[in-house]
Amino acid sequence: MAGDITIRSGQCHCGAVRFEARLTDDLASARRCTCSFCRMRGAVVVMAEKGGIRILRGADTLTSYRFHTGAAQHFFCSRCGIYTHHQRRSNQDLYAVNAACLDGVSPFDFPEVPVMDGVNHTNDTGKPTRRAGTLCFIPAE
């Protein structure tokens, strides 16, 4: 049901950073983005509300990166380099969590992922966020 909260655990690749995420709509909020950073990073993300990420281990190992307007803050493990989550630019009350960091979840678990137009960001255009397309995964037989 929409609006349900699911708590999932996750970690970076090396395990130095371990966290819990209270996901809004669990994995149904999955998406990608076309902005320059997300395009290069390539992660499928799911949403957690502000305060919905609790670092269980390795808070001192996390590093962050900001670009363009500096509104979004992207978090990475300083040891293995894996992106774990970020505070969103378009809605500072939401965090996007790297689905591949969640225990038992792979980006290949999603047959279709909506791709949002981050090149023409709503905060720059003043227009609603536009869906740029859909990323599809079709497993080989």
Side-chain angles (χ1 to χ4, degrees):
M1 177 171 17
D4 286 349
I5 300 293
T6 303
I7 299 175
R8 290 188 179 259
S9 296
Q11 67 180 31
C12 65
H13 188 262
C14 72
V17 176
R18 185 104 183 118
F19 63 91
E20 267 185 1
R22 294 175 46 87
L23 301 179
T24 309
D25 298 330
D26 195 21
L27 302 178
S29 62
R31 64 177 58 182
R32 296 255 328 244
C33 173
T34 64
C35 81
S36 62
F37 193 65
C38 291
R39 187 173 59 242
M40 291 176 129
R41 180 179 59 215
V44 172
V45 297
V46 291
M47 300 304 130
E49 292 181 5
K50 192 172 189 175
I53 297 177
R54 186 166 66 108
I55 305 301
L56 304 173
R57 176 177 68 226
D60 57 335
T61 308
L62 281 173
T63 189
S64 68
Y65 175 69
R66 295 176 188 252
F67 71 104
H68 189 45
T69 66
Q73 187 173 8
H74 304 264
F75 295 92
F76 300 83
C77 173
S78 62
R79 291 186 190 161
C80 66
I82 294 298
Y83 151 73
T84 55
H85 65 288
H86 76 274
Q87 185 175 22
R88 293 184 54 198
R89 176 182 176 211
S90 58
N91 182 345
Q92 295 274 288
D93 290 331
L94 286 178
Y95 282 83
V97 178
N98 182 351
C101 288
L102 298 173
D103 296 342
V105 179
S106 166
F108 305 112
D109 293 340
F110 303 92
E112 293 186 350
V113 177
V115 179
M116 310 316 286
D117 183 2
V119 171
N120 301 295
H121 196 278
T122 188
N123 288 9
D124 296 332
T125 66
K127 297 178 182 174
T129 302
R130 185 181 78 84
R131 185 170 171 162
T134 303
L135 183 70
C136 298
F137 176 69
I138 302 168
E141 294 184 49

